[in-house]
Amino acid sequence: MSQPIPVQITVVSAQDLKTLKSSLAYTLVRVEYNGAVLGDSSKTHVLPDGTAEYDFSSSFEYSPEGPNSLDILVQKPVLLTLLEVTSKDKKKPDKITPLAQAVVDLLPLLQGARSLKVLAPLYAVPASPSAKLCPEATAGLEVIVSTRELLLSATDFSSGNLLSVTVEAAYSVPDAFTADSQQNYMVCLQMPAAAEKELPLLFKNGLLKAGGEKEPFPRPKNWPVGPILAPNALNIPDSFIVGGPYEDEDGDLNKSEDKEFRTQAESSRRVVWDMETRCFLDADAVAVLQMRIAERRHWPVELCRMSTGGKGKGNKPDKKDEDKPIAFHGVAYVNMMHLLCPGVTQIRGAFRVFNYEDSEVFEKTRVQYSIFRDRRSQLSLGKERLGTSPSSKAATNKPLKEDSNAMLYSEAGTFLVMEIKLDRPLVPKRLREELAQRVQELIPPRPALAPRTEGAKKVVEDYHKRVTSVAVAILREYHELFGKQLLEQGVMDHETMEEQKRQLNYELNTSGKYFAFKEQLKYSVVKIVREKYLKTTAFETKEQLQAFLSELYVYLVDHMHMALNKLLSGEDVSPAPPPNSTSKQLLLFAREAEAIKDLKLASLFYNQRIARDQRSIQAWLDYGAFCLLYEDATKAQECFQQAVCLDPQHVQSLLLCGIACVKLRTYEEAEIFFEDACSLEPPSIIAWTLTGLFYEMQNNYIQAERSFREAKKLLRAELEEERRILEAAEAEGKKPTPPSSQPAEEIPDGSPDKPPEVEEGETPKEEAPAVQEAPQAPEPEPPPCTIFMKSVEFLMQFNSVRFVHKALAHELLSLQGGPTCAYYLALGWTYQLREDLPRWEECLREAVRIEPLNPNVWAQKGHLCYQQKDFDKAKDCYERVISFEEDAADMHFVYLRLGSIYLDEKKYARAKHIFLLACDNSASCLTWLGVGIACYRLEEMLEAEDALSEANALNNTNPEVWGYLALICLQGGRQLEAEQCYKYTVKLGLKNNALLHEIREAQQRYGFGDPSL
């Protein structure tokens, strides 16, 4: 047993005492701790400036097993009472009147401090004259608390944890609760404490308040000590109840449907404690707490009503009270599993109160006893006794009967608002630096640029320099042989030139200079073979060697001419022209190929886009999304990891890496990526939502709930900021621009903000009813924005079907008025990918019912009919889409498919108009091809050739473009060009048999165009 440690309390002086009472002359200070008076200072004169010097010391002994144990030091402060001393008659004793009180928290002594010096504010006693004369007094006591040695070693403190429990109030209490001074409302729960003890945390003296205004926020927390003379001194310094949105709580009543009930209950009759009590958990107690939370999940918090005063002598309760039933004995079940989530230190919420039943308590918490009923001797209740209702006596060895009044809790809907807080999390959260390190371990850093690219460029430049050097040397030899005189007349004849060439070759060979020049070029050619062509091994066959030598010869000769031209002209050779297609257009081409299920061509365009700019994060993400849907998750993961290498703090890349890991079932790696995405600043709504969906897939519902709550909190802040901007703009008389709800980095779709509308005079007659229909209808109200639909938008862009289904399931449960149009469109998208056309059609039917004027709905319905080969209905849907003032999200494919339907119907003028709109909206090879076909059928050959030339410039591998160019050249009598176009048509594998048959008929008709004949 350890020796007691004295804790010395020294009251040094007082300040501003005149603010309490201007006529104050003599005072003394009384020091109390844990209900015991430690001593009174001597009577001290108050100086005119309001100060008084006491220099009074007192002490108590701290002992782990004594009355002033560790648990008491954590919970209770030192109480200091300022007493006024007055004497009217020397023969009579001095009159002592309580004037004010102050408290000193001893917690710093357990946190490694051996001494603390504080200026404790004095709070006036309500019954004293100072409370009436000076309600805002600023007086204080200077106090020093010290010990000879540490009460708790640094190791013990760091391995333990400080737990604090705050009970705020019980709301919607039964009507049987009365504001009787003889009744005491109490709450109690039990925690594992230091030295393997069980510590009951008791909250007494709940105040029953009538209905009216709500409890204010913020409001101070109170010390768990008995009633004192100055109630304001019970306030714990710098500790407040701040409240917050119901949705951010951890309790039972945090759903949107509970808001109205809680709002009414919080302004009705309630019992208020606003009390915080603390306990220190050593390392063993922390381990026990973790184990119990994991085993039980729920923690019982008991509630009952007590009667103050008993029949026994002194402060001891009557033994007969031990057998009486417990009045209004209830229990709330607090889900403590949140404290086992990484980084979580606090849970707060409203928990429903149920009547106390042994079987139910044991089933939910595995606890076999009641604190109020079976362990009341540990509570030190004093005169308070349990039970007010008459009942038959029960034997002490049998369980007591419960008061039937407890059933009133369930009928009244009583709930208890409380908070449990830890100084440090039970499960530490991984730091941002640790997560970044783990991500680096999962994705080894790659070089920013491939060294071969720079090497190839360098060796070509070196080859140019060598050619220039050799050319200058040969020119010098020529001048030495034939001089620098220029011919005065005409150009040198061929025979003279050949003779000079023969003599120069002879001179170079006989002198050995030819061999020297060849050696100068040899090394640069070898480097070109290695760096440019990456050839470092022997060829397997002579044919391969010959083919390579031919290719190399052409390349060397071309670059020799470039170097010589630069030397002789004195000007730089013009650089290669930039590519005709941009990265945005390549993405559009890839999606066009996806739409026609040409996945090989789509993959080619995605790869070209990456090759164009290997530092483009979006290019890697788009190709990864394509691989995730059509190819394999391994390749998708490689693409997403490459994006992370380019920017380790790119949230979308990290999330997509996590999604790919989920598909590959590497869940530990997925968790690292999701955690890393959530740790970045600014916080992302989508990151927290997807992390919640991931935890839900792992059946970790507590973590999932906390992630969703964080996402909703961010969404509320975002919507509040948008509302503030909107109000500010309206106040200034400006029309605000609504903030975008799309993710920060949108996927380009090749579309400008708004394509040109169809002019009224050019609209076909069949479209007239639809055009007149749209402006007459009112705009639909936008559906409420949710974290799940924001995430669905992101997930659909990157083809994560599994996560989309999970998010849509939550969206369906969270909606109050039923599914929205956006919900059905997203669900239909998943069926579209699976080619489940009946279910897709069912979703679109519901979407049309909800928002009949939504262009996206009609665009999707048109695509459905197009895939079903019902081209008449598809045409009607597409015509309706282009008649709306607002464009659909995928107008490009609406134009393409509507134009192709017109071509099939031989309505070439309409087809030309639609394809021109498509070109203006987002030009591609297919849009210009459509214009070219329509113009060709209209016999507008010049326009057709121009359109097909544009298509060929954007993509010169489309066989239909070459086929129609062949037809135009045949009609124009251009034999060489017709043959060339036909050769490319056949080489690229034209699959349109009708077009191929038409070309061959034209060749037979004109007698040329096929070089094989």
Side-chain angles (χ1 to χ4, degrees), residues 282-331:
D282 62 9
D284 294 336
V286 170
V288 171
L289 179 64
Q290 285 184 274
M291 181 186 67
R292 289 185 183 176
I293 293 175
E295 292 175 352
R296 302 176 181 178
R297 295 178 64 94
H298 292 91
W299 212 268
V301 179
E302 297 185 41
L303 171 68
C304 76
R305 189 178 74 179
M306 294 187 175
S307 177
T308 59
K311 301 176 183 178
K313 296 181 180 181
N315 291 335
K316 296 182 179 180
D318 193 337
K319 291 184 177 180
K320 294 181 180 180
D321 291 337
E322 298 281 344
D323 298 332
K324 289 188 176 181
I326 302 173
F328 297 100
H329 192 192
V331 61

Side-chain angles (χ1 to χ4, degrees), residues 531-566:
E531 299 292 335
K532 180 69 178 177
Y533 288 92
L534 308 179
K535 298 292 184 181
T536 57
T537 59
F539 293 92
E540 296 179 358
T541 62
K542 291 184 178 180
E543 289 77 10
Q544 290 181 355
L545 174 61
Q546 191 61 41
F548 172 71
L549 291 177
S550 299
E551 182 181 359
L552 177 63
Y553 175 78
V554 173
Y555 181 83
L556 293 176
V557 170
D558 287 344
H559 278 270
M560 180 189 70
H561 289 160
M562 291 170 61
L564 293 176
N565 289 335
K566 182 178 179 181

Side-chain angles (χ1 to χ4, degrees), residues 835-906:
E835 297 185 358
D836 189 347
L837 301 187
R839 290 190 178 183
W840 185 17
E841 183 176 11
E842 184 179 345
C843 291
L844 293 179
R845 189 182 303 117
E846 291 296 322
V848 169
R849 179 184 60 81
I850 297 172
E851 291 189 20
L853 299 181
N854 189 329
N856 291 314
V857 175
W858 289 103
Q860 293 301 313
K861 190 171 179 61
H863 297 334
L864 171 65
C865 296
Y866 193 88
Q867 290 192 25
Q868 292 174 331
K869 309 297 182 183
D870 190 348
F871 298 117
D872 289 336
K873 287 186 179 179
K875 182 181 68 173
D876 293 340
C877 293
Y878 291 145
E879 287 175 347
R880 183 185 291 264
V881 172
I882 64 175
S883 69
F884 286 120
E885 291 184 357
E886 181 183 357
D887 287 331
D890 57 348
M891 286 301 296
H892 182 79
F893 292 101
V894 171
Y895 287 137
L896 277 181
R897 290 177 173 175
L898 180 59
S900 66
I901 292 173
Y902 283 147
L903 287 179
D904 292 339
E905 293 178 350
K906 298 184 179 181

Side-chain angles (χ1 to χ4, degrees), residues 211-383:
E213 296 182 357
K214 290 185 176 182
E215 296 295 316
F217 291 112
R219 60 183 187 271
K221 297 180 181 180
N222 298 326
W223 290 105
V225 296
I228 61 176
L229 298 175
N232 288 339
L234 286 174
N235 298 343
I236 302 176
D238 301 323
S239 186
F240 298 93
I241 298 171
V242 295
Y246 301 142
E247 296 84 355
D248 293 345
E249 295 180 353
D250 303 289
D252 304 324
L253 301 172
N254 56 1
K255 306 295 187 299
S256 56
E257 56 266 24
D258 303 321
K259 187 173 183 180
E260 182 179 356
F261 167 68
R262 288 193 58 177
T263 303
Q264 293 177 355
E266 289 174 3
S267 58
S268 303
R269 297 174 73 251
R270 56 198 179 272
V271 179
V272 180
W273 286 270
D274 289 345
M275 187 181 296
E276 177 185 272
T277 186
R278 302 180 296 211
C279 66
F280 180 77
L281 310 177
D282 62 9
D284 294 336
V286 170
V288 171
L289 179 64
Q290 285 184 274
M291 181 186 67
R292 289 185 183 176
I293 293 175
E295 292 175 352
R296 302 176 181 178
R297 295 178 64 94
H298 292 91
W299 212 268
V301 179
E302 297 185 41
L303 171 68
C304 76
R305 189 178 74 179
M306 294 187 175
S307 177
T308 59
K311 301 176 183 178
K313 296 181 180 181
N315 291 335
K316 296 182 179 180
D318 193 337
K319 291 184 177 180
K320 294 181 180 180
D321 291 337
E322 298 281 344
D323 298 332
K324 289 188 176 181
I326 302 173
F328 297 100
H329 192 192
V331 61
Y333 301 104
V334 179
N335 189 348
M336 301 276 280
M337 282 296 291
H338 295 278
L339 293 178
L340 294 186
C341 297
V344 175
T345 59
Q346 172 185 333
I347 56 175
R348 178 186 178 274
F351 302 92
R352 291 189 180 276
V353 179
F354 303 91
N355 59 302
Y356 193 99
E357 294 182 1
D358 289 329
S359 58
E360 184 179 354
V361 172
F362 178 73
E363 180 183 354
K364 287 191 174 183
T365 67
R366 301 299 173 188
V367 175
Q368 298 179 339
Y369 58 86
S370 165
I371 304 175
F372 284 136
R373 185 189 63 198
D374 303 323
R375 301 193 176 185
R376 67 182 70 178
S377 60
Q378 302 177 11
L379 299 180
S380 301
L381 298 178
K383 291 184 178 181

